[in-house]
Amino acid sequence: MKLWEKNVRRVIPYTPGEQPSAANVIKLNTNENPYPPAPGVTAAKDAMDAKRLRLYPDPTAKVLVDALAHYYDVGADQVFVGVGSDDVLSVAFLTFFNSEKPVLFPDITYSFYPVWAQVYRIPYETCPLDENFRINPEDYYRENGGIVFPNPNAPTACYESLDKIEDILDHNRDVVVIVDEAYIDFGGKSALELIKKYDNLLVVQTFSKSRSMAGIRIGYAMGCPELIKAMNDVKYSINSYTMNMPSLIMGVEAVKDETYFSSCTQKIIATRQRAKERLSELGFEFPDSMANFIFARHPKYHARELFEALRSANIFVRYFNQPRIDEYMRITIGTDDQMDALFDFLKNYMDVNKKKL
Amino acid sequence: MKLWEKNVRRVIPYTPGEQPSAANVIKLNTNENPYPPAPGVTAAKDAMDAKRLRLYPDPTAKVLVDALAHYYDVGADQVFVGVGSDDVLSVAFLTFFNSEKPVLFPDITYSFYPVWAQVYRIPYETCPLDENFRINPEDYYRENGGIVFPNPNAPTACYESLDKIEDILDHNRDVVVIVDEAYIDFGGKSALELIKKYDNLLVVQTFSKSRSMAGIRIGYAMGCPELIKAMNDVKYSINSYTMNMPSLIMGVEAVKDETYFSSCTQKIIATRQRAKERLSELGFEFPDSMANFIFARHPKYHARELFEALRSANIFVRYFNQPRIDEYMRITIGTDDQMDALFDFLKNYMDVNKKKL
């Protein structure tokens, strides 16, 4: 070991899903949207004057904050923006989870939570989901240093009702509760309406899924002005200018076009319904999905086997080699054509490789 | 105080320079480049397919890392990229400064250093610059948890020779030494050539000044592969996808065009020479500048008075109300026309408001 290495922060980093560079891949592995961003985004890109890149962007990201505040009918002082919801969640962990008591989150959840806890030295404990991958609110009644969970959950796609979220909030008024709603626009009801009632509730969303802009890196949080100010103070203590000019100019357009947004999410919901039916016919089992992906297992075929077979056919899905979920694969909802290619491959594979229980 | 606020990380954030929105401002306050990015940047913007924004960007930022590695003739495993050099420095502080001994930096320096130390709970001590704002290497001979300084320094514009930097490195082989070279392309010699000899040296640079791309948010660090890997591990523990697609696509072009880059930096160096002459004629005093700004005081006129008078004429410079430097203003080198407007205003102001010593 080199001498300077004794002061290095040792971490086990998060592993993002593969970003294959081949053009002929059917990419159903990172929950991207199969449809392009709103037409206004392309128009804004074309109109953007690249010469202006010589100047710093607005550190307050005012145009984007204002567009989101207007869309969600909240104050501009109730919106925080960051470089994807990962940046937003990372700042939230650093800002709000400074207790010596453990932060609580489900045992099966977004695998970045324990990584942020680790890098920022935040104590945490996980609360096991029940056998149907559902949250039990009573697990969150005990003393803690904060709570975070996705709704719908990742990678299970299970949606919890606002009643259940209020139950958790009612038993946790003295810590910050973060509801990570990356997938909320695919049929769930946002907890946003609860921020008036609970000043300790932070709702986090993203442009990466429902707004088809994973490549632009925009996430945002909404909550009471005190929560947002605390996050901005920390953000301005890390990096003043996080949102680059293209993200501000193009991001605003993705918020404005409600018609396009609604048509894309409806198409994905319809394809998800078809996918549920087809996967059932093929013998798959899965918790009901309210997200843009389905978390499925097959009683006869191990998920890793199917994952690898699909991969060799250039169809990428996601497999997590982790306790409790190693028999599942996570399949992003693509276009109808992409999903048909997946179903055809699976049907053919199972015909050729017949197995008995 | 609300109950949840007891767990909030309390910080005093960095204050970025003003970004006035009025169009008729002569903006010499945040060290931006007065010239637009390389023509290839605009061409890349035009050619960019906004439809591809639905996909995540490459988390490894390979095209940009490779372009920088090629330009600087180092390995791709020796380059780290981030969202501006502030992101890069922030990750470096978090990664390398985990000692209980204090990190050392000059008392007059980039004002973000104490802010990062504060937010990440890093102990630090400052080493006073001498009366000419120069670094004394002997101040850095004592035990410490790491060292960071800009070269040229901000906001003084003073450049230290590589001999002095090697002196500091020779006395500090067991901690990481960061040389923050945001302004190195305006005449100084980079410490990059020393990374082969010193595996604990990290050199940080940015696209925001010499490459005219403050609005795109790209910074980078170069060092031995172990240093870069440690930073990437921490980066992947905070946010996997930091560099958005536009920054990758356009950033690459700014690295490729050596002719344009050289012509812009030479123009700024020539204008700086004119500015030194004119400011001297007007009675200003300043340490010799090797950056794209001049840090000047006037024996008869207080900097705050001049700063405010200039501001009322829509000429923005930067004033720091801090010990030892509150008689100085920092003037970014703009175009010759912009500088002439500044000199004309100052000459006229001093003619009208004559003062004796």
Side-chain angles (χ1 to χ4, degrees), chain A residues 104-228:
Chain A
L104 303 180
F105 48 82
D107 64 336
I108 302 167
T109 195
Y110 186 31
S111 47
F112 227 130
Y113 296 163
V115 176
W116 286 314
Q118 172 201 214
V119 73
Y120 296 134
R121 316 264 165 91
I122 298 165
Y124 71 92
E125 287 174 15
T126 58
C127 304
L129 296 176
D130 73 16
E131 66 282 8
N132 298 313
F133 295 146
R134 305 303 295 265
I135 288 175
N136 177 8
E138 288 179 22
D139 293 342
Y140 297 86
Y141 288 3
R142 62 194 162 115
E143 267 207 313
N144 65 69
I147 292 170
V148 58
F149 56 88
N151 194 36
N153 197 4
T156 64
C158 295
Y159 171 75
E160 305 292 359
S161 70
L162 293 193
D163 286 352
K164 215 182 239 191
I165 291 172
E166 269 209 86
D167 184 349
I168 291 171
L169 283 162
D170 282 332
H171 287 86
N172 290 279
R173 301 303 304 262
D174 56 350
V175 295
V176 172
V177 176
I178 301 175
V179 183
D180 174 1
E181 295 189 335
Y183 304 103
I184 197 67
D185 291 326
F186 301 104
K189 191 171 183 189
S190 171
L192 180 62
E193 65 183 59
L194 301 177
I195 66 172
K196 279 182 206 150
K197 190 167 166 189
Y198 300 94
D199 61 17
N200 59 324
L201 167 63
L202 189 79
V203 173
V204 176
Q205 298 192 3
T206 176
F207 280 39
S208 298
K209 320 294 180 184
S210 57
R211 297 198 183 275
S212 302
M213 291 190 83
I216 204 74
R217 315 309 305 125
I218 298 178
Y220 51 105
M222 296 176 286
C224 79
E226 290 87 347
L227 282 175
I228 300 305

Side-chain angles (χ1 to χ4, degrees), chain B residues 236-247:
Chain B
Y236 282 112
S237 299
I238 296 173
N239 190 357
S240 313
Y241 302 96
T242 52
M243 310 305 290
N244 69 10
M245 208 178 282
S247 74

Side-chain angles (χ1 to χ4, degrees), chain B residues 296-347:
Chain B
R297 65 181 289 279
H298 199 286
K300 292 186 189 168
Y301 297 84
H302 195 278
R304 195 201 312 240
E305 174 189 345
L306 295 177
F307 164 76
E308 284 169 2
L310 284 161
R311 198 171 188 288
S312 66
N314 265 342
I315 300 173
F316 281 59
V317 299
R318 189 100 192 248
Y319 173 72
F320 300 89
N321 191 12
Q322 285 167 20
R324 291 192 70 185
I325 58 171
D326 61 343
E327 289 185 14
Y328 286 81
M329 54 184 184
R330 193 190 68 184
I331 305 163
T332 303
I333 304 297
T335 62
D336 282 330
D337 284 352
Q338 289 176 319
M339 300 311 282
D340 285 342
L342 173 89
F343 305 139
D344 290 349
F345 177 88
L346 288 171
K347 179 164 196 321

